[in-house]
Amino acid sequence: MDREKLYIQMSEAVVKFEEERVAELAEKSLEMGLDPVETILHALSAGMLIVGDLFEKKEYFVPEILMCAEAMQAGLDILQARIPKGSTGNKGRIVIGTVFGDVHDIGKNIVKLMLEVGGYTVYDLGRDVPLEKFVEEVNRTNADIVAMSAMLTTTMMGMKKVIEMIRESNPRVRVMIGGAPVSAEVVKRFGADGYAKTAGTVLEEAEKLFKRIKQDA
Amino acid sequence: MNKLAQYIKELGRTPIIPLAGSVGLQLTRTSMKTSLTDSGRQKEALLALCREVELDAIFTIMDLTVEAEYLGCRLKFPEDEPPAVVEPALSDEEKIDDLFEGKAVGGRMPLFAEVVQGLKASLDMPVCAYVIGPFTLAGQVMDLALAMKATRKKPEMLHHLLSRCSDLIIHYARLLTNAGADLVCILEPSAMMISASKFQEFSSHYCKKIISNNASAMSVLHICGDTNHLISEMETTGAEGLSLDSHVDIQAAYDRLAGETVLIGNVNPVDEITFGTPESVREKSEQLIRAMEGKNFILSTGCDVPQNAPLENIKAMISVKRKN
């Protein structure tokens, strides 16, 4: 099997959530001497992009995304074991979490995964994160982007406070927000920089923000 | 016969019933937690809201954790925000039956029945109460991500859990109905995240059972968010009304209905009710009423209104009543 064919088969196996098949092909890629970083990008990440697209088209829903993520993780575990630390996640650093009061983290976890396989280093603060913790983590990690989500109309208000704190302390950092109650109107009112309507558009949105960061620099 | 459609017909105009119980807490300076743990205080806040705003019917304060808490899920229960499940009750899928052993009515269920009873005694309008939806409850009991994956990996186990959840919800729905609730609304937010075919298999089938087992009350099914893909399946539950969020074009949804099902919605509770002005809320409300004129429609909010939303905006929504 040639390299291109393996990439295609592996990304298809991710899309069809064939966990064992993904693992098998990951092993095979190593046997073939392929660079695991390249395999993650061209097979796993490519597969998750298709998944994101199917989600956008409403052919896939959350159960299917979670199954794909699980299949992808099986491949990722095998490939990452062969990668020296620091040679992935070079596209940028992103701090992520659900805001204080909000324990709904399914969406956040999917977004995190999309970003990780998309080549970003993600610092996950988890769920129900105290607002000042976002700023502390940005300072600790020197991150470029803060990504927050909220599922409730009440907890959503916390994102506005974080954005204000970030503007004050780290004006070069960009903020993207998401979650069920978030709309373009909310983004405007809160003064966020970006908005991923669903996990399917998050990579696109992150690319846009990084482009802006580079232009600003 | 659709009792909810009948109610609209008898009223002779579009009823206006926002899901805004918690806004009443501003009037009595009651905390969210107090209102959800003290029936007298919740009743007092809702009665204050009814004195302030001319609602056509009153909903109790929305609480998505009553059934889950009773089953042993650990809650986060902040003073000024709605509670949420933080830890599932079921750690071993083999022990579903143990979890439900001897469970019918308990926890804070009687508290909500008392609120209903109190409202019924003091008000001359339909009193509406909530129960959780079966799929949402299963997700709370076993962890939502696991329940999502179980729709594909362990459907039999999930059906077993859903069946037990539905029985519990039926007990609670009957308790509320016996206490005087004229309408019971099933809250099934987690269903928004699954496909129509999975919804049919893992939610609507069980909603139907809950509704048919509590047939003396009017029935509504509420699912938050973008439910465009679920409208037809939602109707097959037999719910007399479907409460739709602001992500749905309610006119287009109406055209897809097969029966005389009532649609309820869908002024945006955040963009309009919380951030909008009385003028913008009035405009949006009038627009909806005009678009749905002569149809089986109740003007409401797309979802629960945050407790800190300006009361003036609720009043603005109600004010369009006199004009039509």
Side-chain angles (χ1 to χ4, degrees):
Chain A
M1 183 169 14
D2 70 8
R3 189 176 61 178
E4 291 307 318
K5 205 165 167 194
L6 179 127
Y7 289 160
I8 289 170
Q9 286 191 357
M10 204 164 159
S11 62
E12 276 173 1
V14 168
V15 174
K16 291 186 200 152
F17 37 92
E18 295 166 342
E19 191 175 340
E20 281 167 31
R21 179 79 180 138
V22 175
E24 208 177 284
L25 288 165
E27 296 285 2
K28 181 148 181 147
S29 78
L30 294 173
E31 280 164 33
M32 287 163 66
L34 299 181
D35 178 355
V37 176
E38 292 286 305
T39 310
I40 290 173
L41 182 67
H42 297 295
L44 297 182
S45 181
M48 285 310 279
L49 278 178
I50 299 172
V51 173
D53 200 39
L54 289 170
F55 185 70
E56 282 299 295
K57 289 186 192 148
K58 294 195 161 195
E59 287 175 40
Y60 272 16
F61 290 84
V62 172
E64 291 73 32
I65 293 205
L66 293 175
M67 297 292 286
C68 295
E70 213 168 75
M72 192 216 61
Q73 191 67 48
L76 200 60
D77 289 344
I78 292 165
L79 297 171
Q80 269 178 341
R82 298 291 191 90
I83 302 172
K85 263 205 171 348
S87 56
T88 54
N90 299 331
K91 274 194 177 170
R93 289 177 297 270
I94 300 177
V95 168
I96 196 169
T98 78
V99 288
F100 187 62
D102 212 310
V103 297
H104 306 85
D105 61 356
I106 281 198
K108 185 269 294 170
N109 290 339
I110 295 172
V111 165
K112 175 192 171 189
L113 204 74
M114 297 296 281
L115 291 170
E116 274 177 347
V117 294
Y120 296 96
T121 299
V122 183
Y123 301 95
D124 184 7
L125 292 171
R127 61 183 196 179
D128 196 6
V129 180
L131 304 181
E132 59 282 2
K133 186 88 188 130
F134 284 96
V135 180
E136 285 168 30
E137 189 70 359
V138 165
N139 289 331
R140 189 185 74 80
T141 61
N142 196 25
D144 316 282
I145 287 184
V146 170
M148 289 179 281
S149 88
M151 241 6 175
L152 304 173
T153 51
T154 45
T155 54
M156 181 178 83
M157 304 300 170
M159 301 202 286
K160 186 164 190 275
K161 288 190 194 134
V162 176
I163 294 170
E164 283 160 10
M165 287 192 275
I166 294 275
R167 294 286 178 256
E168 183 86 6
S169 62
N170 311 68
R172 59 160 197 94
V173 169
R174 297 290 159 206
V175 182
M176 60 196 286
I177 61 178
V182 177
S183 62
E185 174 69 19
V186 170
V187 173
K188 207 171 74 188
R189 281 187 180 270
F190 285 10
D193 301 295
Y195 156 49
K197 202 170 170 204
T198 70
T201 59
V202 74
L203 276 177
E204 216 175 294
E205 197 60 33
E207 302 265 340
K208 260 193 242 165
L209 288 189
F210 272 100
K211 221 177 249 171
R212 271 175 57 190
I213 290 169
K214 275 187 197 134
Q215 281 166 0
D216 293 346
Chain B
M1 189 203 62
N2 184 319
K3 299 183 289 301
L4 191 57
Q6 188 64 31
Y7 155 75
I8 297 173
K9 206 172 157 193
E10 280 165 16
L11 194 68
R13 59 169 169 79
T14 304
I16 306 181
I17 315 173
L19 310 181
S22 66
V23 178
L25 301 176
Q26 295 172 16
L27 297 166
T28 50
R29 297 178 192 279
T30 309
S31 78
M32 179 62 84
K33 187 171 183 175
T34 302
S35 77
L36 298 176
T37 49
D38 180 335
S39 59
R41 299 290 296 278
Q42 179 174 157
K43 191 188 86 175
E44 184 186 78
L46 292 172
L47 289 177
L49 182 68
C50 289
R51 276 194 297 273
E52 195 75 16
V53 191
E54 271 178 74
L55 304 163
D56 284 317
I58 182 81
F59 270 92
T60 55
I61 295 182
M62 193 182 278
D63 183 336
L64 296 142
T65 63
V66 177
E67 299 87 343
E69 184 187 40
Y70 176 48
L71 288 172
C73 295
R74 197 163 65 81
L75 302 189
K76 176 190 163 90
F77 212 142
E79 200 58 45
D80 287 307
E81 275 159 40
V85 170
V86 290
E87 208 177 284
L90 189 70
S91 49
D92 180 353
E93 288 160 11
E94 300 292 312
K95 296 198 170 142
I96 293 173
D97 288 330
D98 295 353
L99 191 71
F100 285 86
E101 180 65 39
K103 292 259 170 35
V105 161
R108 287 181 296 124
M109 291 177 186
L111 183 150
F112 278 86
E114 280 165 29
V115 175
V116 166
Q117 205 166 20
L119 292 173
K120 199 65 203 165
S122 324
L123 295 168
D124 185 25
M125 63 171 74
V127 172
C128 316
Y130 299 107
V131 296
I132 199 79
F135 185 72
T136 305
L137 182 55
Q140 292 173 322
V141 166
M142 71 172 283
D143 176 81
L144 184 56
L146 291 179
M148 290 282 169
K149 287 192 265 188
T151 63
R152 295 211 160 251
K153 289 167 112 174
K154 297 174 181 174
E156 277 171 28
M157 181 277 298
L158 186 57
H159 278 299
H160 180 51
L161 177 59
L162 284 164
S163 167
R164 299 303 305 255
C165 285
S166 307
D167 290 342
L168 186 85
I169 297 165
I170 290 168
H171 282 298
Y172 185 30
R174 284 177 171 164
L175 176 78
L176 293 166
T177 307
N178 290 336
D182 300 283
L183 183 153
V184 173
C185 174
I186 301 176
L187 301 168
E188 184 70 310
S190 296
M192 179 258 284
M193 291 182 263
I194 61 181
S195 65
S197 67
K198 291 275 175 278
F199 174 69
Q200 198 266 328
E201 188 180 353
F202 296 102
S203 175
S204 77
H205 167 73
Y206 295 97
C207 289
K208 191 174 185 169
K209 193 174 154 196
I210 294 163
I211 290 164
S212 63
N213 274 285
N214 189 45
S216 61
M218 294 185 272
S219 54
V220 168
L221 174 62
H222 172 83
I223 305 181
C224 324
D226 181 354
T227 48
N228 282 300
H229 65 296
L230 297 178
I231 304 291
S232 303
E233 283 300 338
M234 285 172 78
E235 196 182 17
T236 65
T237 60
E240 294 172 335
L242 304 180
S243 164
L244 305 174
D245 210 339
S246 34
H247 308 63
V248 179
D249 177 344
I250 213 151
Q251 256 183 299
Y254 197 86
D255 292 338
R256 287 163 59 195
L257 297 177
E260 53 172 351
T261 311
V262 176
L263 290 188
I264 303 161
N266 63 348
V267 178
N268 192 313
V270 178
D271 292 0
E272 286 299 340
I273 306 289
T274 309
F275 294 140
T277 60
E279 290 70 36
S280 72
V281 171
R282 206 172 292 127
E283 194 182 325
K284 180 75 198 170
S285 304
E286 275 170 3
Q287 205 183 320
L288 272 168
I289 285 194
R290 267 199 307 273
M292 297 297 286
E293 205 166 5
K295 294 172 178 163
N296 280 334
F297 174 65
I298 294 173
L299 181 69
S300 182
T301 50
C303 201
D304 198 24
V305 174
Q307 70 200 86
N308 52 4
L311 191 62
E312 291 312 308
N313 286 349
I314 302 288
K315 286 185 180 167
M317 188 175 179
I318 301 294
S319 75
V320 304
K321 187 158 71 178
R322 293 179 198 88
K323 291 189 185 171
N324 65 44

